[in-house]
């Protein structure tokens, strides 16, 4: 990714859920390279540590936390650890000799400017009428409900001019076989975007990105099959699958002041795949 990007997020704090790999990681990287202090999260500490190391290696200010979005305490911890004042070890030592270092050595987030809700699950590929109730619950819980609950915790800390971006899917427009119920939950995010844009205006904008098919671990069962991959590529106008950087660029636009008059909208980033309900 080009390190000579603009600094649209200088001085801003961005939370990106499910952001230690794939689309989420690329979004965090893009926001960080454009100046944001990014807060990333994953269910596994190992993944968090590895992602933090990669981002710090690119000069990005980053805080990594374990967060399973369906866990209420994890969500609260994610928000609280973002807005609290962080003291570095060097600062603690210097404070013993020079209390006025408080003005210079505090690493303080203390606010939230951007939230990207990226966490998603697809635990089964059964038809809707064959899907177990427990799977239906998990799909709704991870893909829709936790986005709402996270915003309930975060709302008091969102700044004037803040931005929320949901990550939906092209499957939300035409749920495909094997991804049907997953697609339905992603359709719900399109409506949630409209509803929250009205509810959170005028201080917070709410928008959505609907990615096409991207070769990530999450979509590997589709994109690693040569036949399926070629079929998906043929359905695009650009004759290729998307990249995580494609999705990060669209998300960064919606989260930035370049989109200051855009709210309640979904940008489909799918190479021209049909996207009408």
């Amino acid at each position: 990714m080009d390190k000579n990007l603009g600094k649209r997020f200088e001085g801003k704090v961005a939370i990106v859920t499910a952001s230690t790999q794939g689309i989420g990681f690329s979004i965090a990287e893009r926001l960080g390279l454009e100046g944001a202090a990014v807060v990333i999260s994953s269910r596994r500490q190992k993944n968090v540590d590895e992602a933090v190391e990669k981002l710090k290696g690119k000069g990005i200010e980053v805080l990594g936390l374990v967060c399973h979005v369906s866990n209420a305490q994890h969500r609260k911890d994610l928000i609280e650890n973002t807005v609290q004042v962080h003291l570095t070890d060097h600062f603690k030592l210097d404070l013993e000799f020079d209390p006025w270092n408080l003005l210079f050595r505090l690493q303080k987030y203390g606010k939230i400017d951007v939230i990207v809700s990226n966490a998603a699950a697809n635990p089964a590929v059964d038809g809707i009428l064959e899907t177990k109730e427990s799977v239906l619950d998990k799909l709704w819980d991870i893909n829709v409900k936790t986005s709402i609950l996270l915003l309930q915790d975060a709302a008091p800390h969102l700044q004037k001019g803040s931005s929320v971006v949901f990550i939906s899917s092209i499957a939300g427009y035409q749920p495909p076989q094997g991804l049907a119920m997953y697609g339905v939950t992603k359709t719900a995010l399109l409506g949630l975007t409209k509803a929250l844009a009205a509810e959170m205006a005028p201080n917070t904008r709410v928008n959505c990105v609907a990615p096409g098919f991207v070769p990530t671990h999450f979509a590997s069962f589709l994109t690693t099959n040569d036949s399926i991959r070629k079929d998906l590529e043929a359905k695009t106008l650009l004759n290729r699958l998307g990249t995580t950087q494609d999705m990060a660029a669209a998300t960064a636009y919606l989260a930035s002041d370049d989109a200051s008059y855009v709210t309640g909208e979904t940008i489909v980033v799918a190479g021209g795949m049909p996207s009408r309900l």
Side-chain angles (χ1 to χ4, degrees), residues 171-205:
Y173 286 86
Q174 189 64 50
Q177 185 177 1
L179 290 171
M181 196 60 217
Y182 169 84
V184 170
T185 62
K186 291 300 188 175
T187 306
L189 292 181
L190 309 183
L192 183 62
T193 297
K194 293 286 187 184
L196 283 179
E199 187 170 318
M200 301 181 77
N203 292 331
T204 299
R205 296 180 299 105

Side-chain angles (χ1 to χ4, degrees), residues 207-219:
N207 290 292
C208 184
V209 171
F213 292 94
V214 180
T216 63
H217 177 72
F218 186 82

